[in-house]
Amino acid sequence: MLTKSYTKAAAFIRKDFLIESGYKMAFAITLLNAVFPILSFFFVGKLVNQSDSLARYGGNYFSFALVGIAFTSYFTLAVGTFSSTMRRSQMAGCLEAILSSQTSTTAIVLMSSLYSFISSGIQLILVFSIGVLFLHFDLSQVNLPSTIVVFALSLLIFVSLGIISAAGTIIFKQGEPFGWIFGGFSSLIGGAFFPVSVMPQWLQYISVLMPVTHALEALRLAMLQHYSIAMLWPRILTLLCIGLLLFPLSIAFFNWSVKKGKKDGTLMQY
């Protein structure tokens, strides 16, 4: 059973790689687009004065922004990729056939996005590699175990939000709200580009409700200030509780949306 799941997952990854790599220019531009933003923030960082808001993270704006932008981009993809996969299948007219196959709906929604996660993971590594090799990003303060734990828990949360977004696409077709709320909006107020502490107090209260705020705070402290798992335990516990709550709820919500679409006969609509 497990071998069969691995075979299916590999087939999904190979299919998406062949499609994307077939457009070589677009493939190259995608990689370049992952790099250009960090160059901009490297030079912006040279203009920003050291402030009390950055002192908690080591006082270097470029390092602060690099961690925020790189991981926020990855997490935003996690929210959007499931929805976009469902949307493409809707427009191609094959969503009902895919969701009616012998493969479970849970396996389909997860496996259909595997390639995007692998591709974006390579871009994430590329961004940090360029930051280290050419832009003086300091890896000496990285606490690897706590970084891995925080990243894994954060990814679980954003995969869950992505599945909810995919369910929203099946239900609402166009204009589903979950991707926007937990994608671009949460990135803006979650501290991707600047510390949350510089925002008005009322926005800080809203940002506390966004999972990305806790994820980026913990990742920055783990990577820029060498915080251990014990030192990050309150943040880790918060992320763990959110993830354990959201993941089963997201699967249940997605399965419900598929059943509703089949019952109403709306899976083919877009």
Side-chain angles (χ1 to χ4, degrees):
M1 184 67 179
L2 190 60
T3 302
K4 187 176 181 181
S5 296
Y6 282 134
T7 302
K8 286 184 178 180
F12 272 98
I13 294 170
R14 184 172 184 273
K15 170 184 71 73
D16 291 330
F17 172 74
L18 290 174
I19 291 172
E20 186 170 356
S21 61
Y23 301 92
K24 294 181 174 55
M25 183 58 70
F27 192 69
I29 290 174
T30 299
L31 292 177
L32 290 174
N33 284 336
V35 173
F36 285 151
I38 70 167
L39 296 176
S40 300
F41 282 94
F42 174 73
F43 294 113
V44 169
K46 289 182 174 293
L47 299 175
V48 176
N49 292 326
Q50 303 294 316
S51 69
D52 294 338
S53 299
L54 293 174
R56 175 173 171 77
Y57 312 102
N60 185 288
Y61 177 73
F62 172 66
S63 297
F64 174 92
L66 178 59
V67 173
I69 294 167
F71 283 108
T72 299
S73 297
Y74 193 82
F75 295 148
T76 300
L77 167 102
V79 174
T81 188
F82 296 99
S83 177
S84 61
T85 299
M86 293 300 108
R87 182 72 180 148
R88 286 196 302 269
S89 297
Q90 281 180 336
M91 297 182 71
C94 60
L95 180 60
E96 185 171 18
I98 292 173
L99 293 177
S100 299
S101 66
Q102 293 183 349
T103 303
S104 68
T105 55
T106 301
I108 289 171
V109 73
L110 291 174
M111 290 181 184
S112 62
S113 301
L114 281 175
Y115 175 76
S116 294
F117 280 102
I118 293 172
S119 175
S120 294
I122 293 172
Q123 292 178 35
L124 187 68
I125 294 171
L126 176 64
V127 165
F128 277 107
S129 297
I130 291 175
V132 171
L133 295 174
F134 304 108
L135 304 177
H136 313 298
F137 180 76
D138 186 8
L139 282 178
S140 64
Q141 294 301 312
V142 174
N143 187 302
L144 192 57
S146 57
T147 300
I148 292 173
V149 169
V150 172
F151 177 73
L153 291 175
S154 302
L155 189 57
L156 174 64
I157 292 171
F158 288 97
V159 164
S160 302
L161 294 173
I163 295 172
I164 291 173
S165 179
T169 298
I170 292 175
I171 295 170
F172 298 108
K173 312 307 178 187
Q174 298 187 51
E176 67 85 17
F178 307 113
W180 178 79
I181 293 172
F182 296 108
F185 178 69
S186 66
S187 299
L188 179 63
I189 68 170
F193 307 103
F194 43 77
V196 171
S197 59
V198 306
M199 296 191 301
Q201 194 69 42
W202 64 274
L203 270 180
Q204 293 185 40
Y205 290 139
I206 296 176
S207 73
V208 171
L209 302 176
M210 299 294 176
V212 70
T213 305
H214 304 284
L216 291 181
E217 174 75 4
L219 283 167
R220 283 182 173 125
L221 293 175
M223 297 185 69
L224 304 179
Q225 295 291 76
H226 200 70
Y227 271 43
S228 64
I229 292 175
M231 296 168 72
L232 288 173
W233 182 245
R235 295 281 182 183
I236 289 175
L237 184 60
T238 299
L239 294 171
L240 178 63
C241 291
I242 295 173
L244 291 179
L245 176 66
L246 272 183
F247 187 72
L249 286 177
S250 68
I251 295 297
F253 184 45
F254 183 80
N255 288 334
W256 174 82
S257 70
V258 172
K259 289 178 182 178
K260 185 178 186 301
K262 288 180 179 178
K263 181 180 179 181
D264 297 342
T266 58
L267 287 180
M268 296 292 287
Q269 297 177 2
Y270 61 90

